[in-house]
Amino acid sequence: MADRSKAEVVRRLFGVNLEQQGRGFYVPLEMLAIARGVYLAHQEDPENYAELLDDADTVAYKRTSHDLARRIATNAAIAEGADELSKAVELDSPETLETLHALFSSLLVEIPGRRSQPSWFGAHIYPFVGELIHYDAVDRRVHQRSSSSKKKEQANKLKGKVKAPSIERYLFRGGGSWAYKVLRSDPDPDRKAATRQGLGDLVRDSGTPLGNLAKALSAHDFDFDEEPYEDDSEKEIDLYEELSPWPGLLRNGARNIVARTTTPRAKRTESLMHWVPYCLARHQLHLARRKLGFTDGESILLDFGNEATPLRSESQKTLTSFRNDIANAINVQAREMIGDAEGDEDKKGRYERFTEKTGNAVASPRAFFSETLAAVGALNATGGRRHFTMKPPMLEALVSATVPQGTEMEFDQFCALLYKDYGLVTENKVAARSPLAHEVDSSVLAHNGKAFREKLAAIGLLTQYSDATSMVRGEPR
């Protein structure tokens, strides 16, 4: 009951249930799994299942668990036994299994802040090629008396009452469904068409040796979809486009990233993996502040220096303030829902605990914001004294999302655009137009701008010419 009431409050406020468990890279992993599944369903039956990003009453997709590859990657026990495993892997030599373990363990997505080695279902493979993309799964008891013929067949592979892989939403919490709905509901037909083509390039079969290996192993997964899974959960998601610019910014950035055909496939995927959760976290913050009555966008100081300065202190204060805004917005939302529940004392009681400014009731949604930003590299660390910055992969994603393919932008113009579209303050000229202008000395901001310029140059996204002109481009030359 408590979990459902939390979901009700959080979903009403943010349009989707944002929880700490589904933070960071789980958002794009879910989105890509849906996109890959839609692609597979349409390829197998184009008459009955919609194409990628098409409008449809219900999103239907084929889910691949990659439970065998993930169990091999984490040295997890194979519940089906060695005989079943030998159908997928030649076991005459132990080196074969060791080699596969080394390969797939190197492809696992890193989750910053994780304190221990996860179980196989907590480990996800980085979607560098379409064949590696997979859905969520977890260990569950397999019932011998299942009405499904597939389940009965799978249950017969098990010895005793043991758990085995089951495809279901476990770590995925709906953030990826939100992102997929944003892209497929794009009102701009040209942008949507470009995104469809570029996203299709990322999720379709690559035909590479790695892709062929992944596809061969997935044929021996314990759980799989015989028919496309019809997902009704998207109907519960509200985009709140009238309240937040971030759905539109996600669409613009995703189009710029996936349409960058001169950039390697893996790099486009990596940029999308960072851009999508960043947009959802910023969307969450914007909606929270709108609930509290703030009408202007958020100004965020990005600190690119190597030492403590007043700019860093201000950035730390802003992060603390934003986290408080999210908690306070949940309190306000809960009070509004209590007011709407006239005469229903049960509902009032369930929502009451969300009116407190602190406590577990608001901790998880608030952690989604900060831990998502930390995971993608938009904060300096996952814990301790934290401030806003951009680590190289996140910075590459930001530039790729902002500067269209085949174009360049003068550095000052680029900084101005970062502030105009995203509220990001990087140097003194931009700060003069921001409320932060009175908080940090101009010389400190000028020094930060120089450090930002140098960081862009170090990752190959900025060229400095002899006439002191600096040009930013969307991909390394």
Side-chain angles (χ1 to χ4, degrees), residues 306-335:
N306 295 319
E307 57 187 17
T309 65
L311 184 153
R312 178 167 298 180
S313 298
E314 192 62 33
S315 186
Q316 292 167 344
K317 285 168 52 181
T318 303
L319 175 60
T320 300
S321 176
F322 287 165
R323 281 171 49 84
N324 289 336
D325 287 342
I326 290 172
N328 291 336
I330 294 172
N331 303 154
V332 171
Q333 182 65 54
R335 286 194 288 271

Side-chain angles (χ1 to χ4, degrees), residues 417-448:
L417 187 61
L418 293 185
Y419 179 67
K420 174 179 173 291
D421 284 355
Y422 316 132
L424 301 176
V425 178
T426 54
E427 43 92 57
N428 56 323
K429 295 177 184 176
V430 168
R433 299 191 291 274
S434 165
L436 300 171
H438 305 292
E439 306 296 335
V440 182
D441 187 84
S442 178
S443 63
V444 176
L445 287 160
H447 182 75
N448 192 65

Side-chain angles (χ1 to χ4, degrees), residues 22 29 36 69 89 97 118 124 156 167 182 192 262 264 304 319 324 327 343 357-358 384 418 425 449 462:
L29 285 171
R36 167 73 176 176
V89 181
L97 199 57
H124 291 70
N156 289 334
I167 298 179
V182 168
K192 184 176 179 179
T262 56
F304 292 101
L319 175 60
N324 289 336
K357 292 187 177 181
T358 59
L418 293 185
V425 178
L462 179 142

Side-chain angles (χ1 to χ4, degrees), residues 273-289:
M273 286 279 288
H274 287 75
W275 180 246
V276 171
Y278 180 79
C279 289
L280 180 52
R282 292 293 308 274
H283 178 66
Q284 178 192 19
L285 173 64
H286 191 88
L287 291 175
R289 287 170 58 80

Side-chain angles (χ1 to χ4, degrees), residues 69 80 90 142 152 180 200 225 228 311 355 373 405:
E80 306 93 300
E90 179 57 62
V142 179
K152 286 182 179 178
Y180 188 77
D225 280 340
L311 184 153
T355 62
L373 293 185
Q405 179 176 324

Side-chain angles (χ1 to χ4, degrees), residues 1 30 55 148 151 219 241 257 267 297 356 374 383 420 439 446:
M1 187 70 74
E30 181 182 8
D55 290 325
S148 165
K151 289 294 185 183
E241 294 189 71
I257 289 170
K267 180 58 70 175
E356 301 296 327
K420 174 179 173 291
E439 306 296 335

Side-chain angles (χ1 to χ4, degrees), residues 214-418:
K215 198 169 185 178
L217 283 178
S218 70
H220 297 274
D221 285 339
F222 185 86
D223 199 9
F224 52 88
D225 280 340
E226 294 179 289
E227 298 294 332
Y229 169 70
E230 296 190 357
D231 189 354
D232 289 327
S233 64
E234 195 187 85
K235 294 178 181 178
E236 299 178 345
I237 294 174
D238 293 309
L239 300 184
Y240 292 146
E241 294 189 71
E242 72 282 5
L243 300 176
S244 169
W246 283 96
L249 293 172
L250 170 59
R251 293 174 183 136
N252 278 334
R255 184 269 315 276
N256 286 341
I257 289 170
V258 301
R260 203 172 292 280
T261 55
T262 56
T263 300
R265 183 177 188 159
K267 180 58 70 175
R268 279 177 278 160
T269 299
E270 183 180 30
S271 291
L272 200 63
M273 286 279 288
H274 287 75
W275 180 246
V276 171
Y278 180 79
C279 289
L280 180 52
R282 292 293 308 274
H283 178 66
Q284 178 192 19
L285 173 64
H286 191 88
L287 291 175
R289 287 170 58 80
R290 283 295 298 262
K291 176 60 68 174
L292 297 176
F294 295 99
T295 56
D296 295 333
E298 298 75 47
S299 289
I300 293 178
L301 275 170
L302 297 183
D303 178 11
F304 292 101
N306 295 319
E307 57 187 17
T309 65
L311 184 153
R312 178 167 298 180
S313 298
E314 192 62 33
S315 186
Q316 292 167 344
K317 285 168 52 181
T318 303
L319 175 60
T320 300
S321 176
F322 287 165
R323 281 171 49 84
N324 289 336
D325 287 342
I326 290 172
N328 291 336
I330 294 172
N331 303 154
V332 171
Q333 182 65 54
R335 286 194 288 271
E336 289 180 1
M337 293 172 72
I338 289 173
D340 294 339
E342 282 188 38
D344 192 331
E345 297 303 318
D346 179 57
K347 274 190 176 182
K348 287 183 178 181
R350 288 194 283 122
Y351 298 147
E352 186 66 36
R353 68 194 187 97
F354 297 97
T355 62
E356 301 296 327
K357 292 187 177 181
T358 59
N360 293 332
V362 299
S364 181
R366 180 178 58 198
F368 174 89
F369 170 73
S370 50
E371 292 194 24
T372 291
L373 293 185
V376 300
L379 296 181
N380 64 307
T382 57
R385 295 284 288 170
R386 295 186 290 181
H387 58 267
F388 292 102
T389 187
M390 288 277 173
K391 295 181 180 179
M394 184 63 228
L395 188 53
E396 289 178 354
L398 177 72
V399 177
S400 183
T402 306
V403 182
Q405 179 176 324
T407 65
E408 290 184 320
M409 192 176 297
E410 202 277 324
F411 176 74
D412 288 342
Q413 180 188 1
F414 177 68
C415 292
L417 187 61
L418 293 185

